[in-house]
Amino acid sequence: MGYNTKIDWCDSSWNPVTGCQHDCEYCYARFIANRYGGFDHDEDKNPVDTQFAIGVQELDKPKHIMRKNGLHKAPYPWLFLPTLHRYRLDQPTKWSEPRTIFVCSMADMFGEWVPDGWIEEVFKACEAAPQHRYLFLTKNPSRYESVLNSPMPDNMWFGWSQEGPIGNKADFHTDADVLVNTFVSIEPLLRPFEEFCIKNIGWAIVGAETGNRKNKVIPEKKWVMDIAEACEQAGVPLFMKESLRKIMGDDFRQEFPWGGDANER
């Protein structure tokens, strides 16, 4: 998390909210939080309060953890328990150079468990640093209907993730009357589409499963080319993640809806 990130479709990641209640077996975020989370400093070692009991927590200041080389901030104090880190809300204002920022790469900020107030605070923080472009991603896009106004600022992009087709078909579309920038992220691509329809979407991202999970799925080139052809027909820019570069060879592409290539985010 921070000014630089290894996520190839953005410049930075910013996590004012961490944690998630989805149960995706391939989730890299849960693995990271469980590996580097927890804290063992001060009397709050085993917090018991109303927020904790209902499955969310709020922090006005960071917790700390003792490591071999001293005391450090604990990035995920309660592992993958959904947490609002209010002290991180001003982070974008400290970055003067315009950045493309993935908001909450370590959470699903639009999960049903996330209070509306958290989302409102994050939006206000984005408005306080309008020099940046903000990308949001969820597995619960129906929540957008209740928390987004129309129009939303042009520097905000709202996406949803899908691992592959439901019933071997996919119909990605939005209401053209809603003035919101949208994108879809098909990652990891776990199986082919028999039909792939996309309309009124501003951008598509596709990537392969990474990591060392047993039975990891390696997509076939044709699966990706079918998506690429559908995007071309619909005039939708397509961004292939680095995980597909070897598979795609000369057909590898990384397109952005605001123009430029991977070196001009």
Side-chain angles (χ1 to χ4, degrees):
M1 179 186 73
Y3 190 74
N4 295 309
T5 179
K6 293 181 179 179
I7 301 171
D8 47 359
W9 45 266
C10 63
D11 300 310
S12 305
S13 62
W14 168 48
N15 282 286
V17 177
T18 60
C20 182
Q21 292 182 358
H22 296 312
D23 190 23
C24 305
E25 62 178 327
Y26 51 79
C27 181
Y28 74 91
R30 183 182 297 276
F31 173 80
I32 292 172
N34 289 341
R35 181 176 180 181
Y36 297 105
F39 69 97
D40 54 10
H41 183 70
D42 74 28
E43 69 280 3
D44 291 331
K45 198 169 186 178
N46 296 298
V48 178
D49 58 26
T50 302
Q51 290 292 95
F52 193 83
I54 64 174
V56 297
Q57 186 58 268
E58 299 182 9
L59 290 175
D60 291 323
K61 60 182 181 179
K63 297 293 184 181
H64 292 81
I65 187 168
M66 182 64 71
R67 302 195 186 278
K68 292 181 179 180
N69 58 346
L71 195 64
H72 297 266
K73 290 181 181 179
Y76 317 106
W78 294 291
L79 306 180
F80 220 43
L81 175 76
T83 303
L84 171 64
H85 304 258
R86 191 169 281 108
Y87 60 92
R88 295 178 183 169
L89 287 169
D90 65 346
Q91 186 65 60
T93 65
K94 300 176 181 178
W95 298 337
S96 57
E97 179 185 356
R99 311 288 290 172
T100 296
I101 301 174
F102 181 11
V103 184
C104 296
S105 62
M106 291 293 296
D108 189 336
M109 199 178 84
F110 297 93
E112 294 298 333
W113 56 87
V114 177
D116 286 353
W118 291 15
I119 298 173
E120 292 170 2
E121 288 196 55
V122 173
F123 284 174
K124 289 179 181 177
C126 295
E127 293 171 2
Q131 69 271 29
H132 304 303
R133 183 183 295 114
Y134 299 94
L135 307 181
F136 299 87
L137 189 61
T138 184
K139 286 197 169 183
N140 186 39
S142 61
R143 184 78 185 277
Y144 286 155
E145 297 178 8
S146 62
V147 299
L148 300 185
N149 298 314
S150 183
M152 292 296 291
D154 193 52
N155 65 336
M156 292 186 182
W157 285 74
F158 298 91
W160 64 93
S161 58
Q162 183 172 330
E163 300 86 3
I166 299 174
N168 287 330
K169 297 182 180 181
D171 187 8
F172 300 115
H173 67 277
T174 58
D175 185 344
D177 295 329
V178 178
L179 301 179
V180 176
N181 290 324
T182 58
F183 67 99
V184 59
S185 175
I186 306 164
E187 184 196 2
L189 179 60
L190 300 180
R191 49 197 177 276
F193 291 87
E194 291 182 1
E195 296 180 23
F196 187 90
C197 302
I198 187 167
K199 59 182 179 179
N200 299 332
I201 298 294
W203 191 27
I205 299 170
V206 61
E209 182 178 358
T210 58
N212 298 311
R213 184 179 71 89
K214 184 180 180 180
N215 300 322
K216 180 174 73 172
V217 175
I218 300 176
E220 296 179 14
K221 182 175 181 177
K222 185 181 184 305
W223 302 0
V224 184
M225 289 304 300
D226 288 345
I227 294 172
E229 290 172 6
C231 286
E232 286 180 3
Q233 293 176 7
V236 176
L238 175 63
F239 186 98
M240 298 179 185
K241 296 202 66 177
E242 285 293 330
S243 56
L244 292 173
R245 184 181 289 274
K246 185 175 180 180
I247 295 171
M248 299 308 297
D250 292 340
D251 293 311
F252 183 79
R253 68 184 74 170
Q254 292 187 327
E255 301 168 338
F256 291 90
W258 42 85
D261 55 24
N263 296 315
E264 298 177 278
R265 300 182 203 275

